[in-house]
Each structure stands twice: as structure tokens, then as C-alpha cells.
Amino acid sequence: GVAVEGLRTEHGRLNLALRGDGRKLLASMGPGEVPAGGLVVTWPFDGRPREALVNGRAADLGLDGSVVVRSLPAQVVVRR
């Protein structure tokens, strides 16, 4: 996994942690401001995921398996 604290963005600083194993991706983000289009978490593994949760609630998956986060803090789980 990887973790970054205080990442400078146009919308302020952001804390971000990602880890995964090919079947599941976990992302923890925030606090911070979310840009108008949201923050996009992209599935980095082969195949397409079947399920995404943001803060414990079902979230839409893009055609490429991406998830858009619209508010922070956020806990994102994407599963295959």
C-alpha cells in the first residue's frame, strides 16, 4: 500500500492511503475539499470490479471500474 499526508492540491491539502490485493482495493481519503467533479478512485488491477462502497454505502462504478468520491472524509472499498 501507499500513504500520503498533506498532499498539496489546488483545493488544499489531502491525506490519502491506498492498499489492495487484486481482489479488493481500500482507499481512505480526507479531510479536505473536493473539486467540482469529485475525486476519482481508479481500479488498478486486471478485470472489472463488481461492487463499490463509499462510507459503507453502495456507489456507482464507471465503465472502467472507477468510483467518484463527492465528499470527504471517505472510506472507499472496491471489490472484484
Side-chain angles (χ1 to χ4, degrees), residues 26-80:
L26 304 172
S28 177
M29 295 183 250
E33 293 291 320
V34 177
L39 294 168
V40 178
V41 176
T42 303
W43 180 251
F45 307 111
D46 290 333
R48 188 176 189 285
R50 62 176 172 77
E51 173 185 43
L53 303 171
V54 176
N55 294 330
R57 294 189 148 155
D60 292 332
L61 283 167
L63 293 176
D64 62 354
S66 63
V67 178
V68 179
V69 175
R70 306 251 181 230
S71 65
L72 295 176
Q75 299 295 317
V76 180
V77 178
V78 185
R79 292 188 187 106
R80 210 163 122 143

